[in-house]
Amino acid sequence: MPHDTRRLTPIGTPCSAIYNLQSTIYNSDAPMLYLFYGPNELMRSEALAELCAQVPSDVADLNITRLEGRRLKLETLAAACEAMPFLAERRLVIVSDALKQSKAGKEREELRAYLERVPAWCDLIFIEREDVDRRSILFTHLKKVGTLREFQPLEGNELQRWLNERAQRRGVKLEASAARRLIELVGNDTRSLATELEKLATYVGHKGTIKPASVELLVEDGQEQNLFSFIDHLAARRLGPALQGAHALLADGQAPTYVLFMLARQVRILIGVQELSGQRMRPDAMAAELGQKPFVIRKAQEQARGFQAGELARIHARLLELDLATKTGRIQAETALELFVAEVCLV
């Protein structure tokens, strides 16, 4: 009996993060083979959870087996697949990164051959956290006889549509401008976006509306977090981690000149916090005075303790010198950033 070759609904259709696979998972007299692959971890996980939810919860532990592809042996896979379901119609075997970890040649040939012998009661699901080699014999075989689903990062209108659908299921309205701002702050990591959206939905309440002001109030800037981490390392004079932090800021896609600008801005915040802390001003009052979010001020208070009085002013002056040097072509901006880190950490 040939395998069922029906495919899942493509990403981008309504409610694309939720897959109702019940019609393909049960009442089948042949095993079901699946390949879920790609870097979109949340959507992969939700698709897998939809499959697992079809197994009765009270016997799920007895009928769902998870294996790691890095240590996978064919006899272990066969034993898991060939065990009879217990008080359930079907059995699920989930294998992570087997396509990536299996060795080309005999090992892959034997695994491909076994896929033709998987028992009819078993649903075998391969999960790959990254893109896969589409030329491999395992991929081509699964493409021919199984159900494949690729989970790539969402972009543009597709990402906004996904956010809107998720907000609707949560019982709230997400304004388009708020969705755009949320994406600007968080990026296209759907796991992080889902976490922030849940926080916003709780804040506005059922049938509430998420507006840009709510996003600004509650959502932390991912790049800002990298900057916080970098300043932490500077304050502790940890040269290696501080250099790594500088490179992480550059990896965010910002020009080195802009990173220098952000550093100078953050140092000015630290100077302001040091001065206002000396006046015994409360953090919420500091936030209002400096025009910053409360969590930025709380973090700045922690960081400012790592610098002596007057030190931040000298650091700020040095950043201005390096900024001018980069703009006049006397030094490359990336080199200036690394030089700044070394000067702060080694003094």
Side-chain angles (χ1 to χ4, degrees), residues 170-210:
R170 186 59 174 76
V172 298
K173 180 181 178 181
L174 177 64
E175 290 188 353
S177 55
R180 289 192 295 270
R181 184 56 179 151
L182 181 57
I183 293 169
E184 287 175 1
L185 291 173
V186 178
N188 67 346
D189 180 352
T190 50
R191 173 70 68 181
S192 297
L193 284 169
T195 299
E196 296 298 339
L197 185 61
E198 178 65 24
K199 182 167 60 177
L200 289 162
T202 301
Y203 177 74
V204 302
H206 185 62
K207 295 187 178 180
T209 299
I210 299 173

Side-chain angles (χ1 to χ4, degrees), residues 324-339:
L324 179 61
T326 61
K327 289 176 178 175
T328 56
R330 288 186 285 124
I331 188 173
Q332 293 292 322
E334 186 169 353
T335 303
L337 181 59
E338 293 176 345
L339 178 61

Side-chain angles (χ1 to χ4, degrees), residues 80-121:
C81 293
E82 292 167 17
M84 291 289 294
F86 182 76
L87 299 179
E89 295 181 48
R90 305 191 60 76
R91 176 172 182 77
L92 272 64
V93 177
I94 303 162
V95 185
S96 299
D97 293 327
L99 274 68
K100 177 182 178 181
Q101 298 293 341
S102 62
K103 296 178 182 177
K106 181 180 178 182
E107 186 173 312
R108 286 185 186 173
E109 287 283 358
E110 290 178 345
L111 178 55
R112 189 208 63 79
Y114 180 73
L115 298 183
E116 299 178 358
R117 306 195 304 273
V118 175
W121 59 77

Side-chain angles (χ1 to χ4, degrees), residues 11 28 32 34 66 70 73 104 118 141 255 320 335 343-344:
I11 285 178
S28 173
M32 293 295 298
Y34 297 88
R66 299 176 185 268
R70 187 164 60 90
K73 296 186 179 299
V118 175
H141 183 73
L320 294 182
T335 303
E343 288 177 352
V344 173

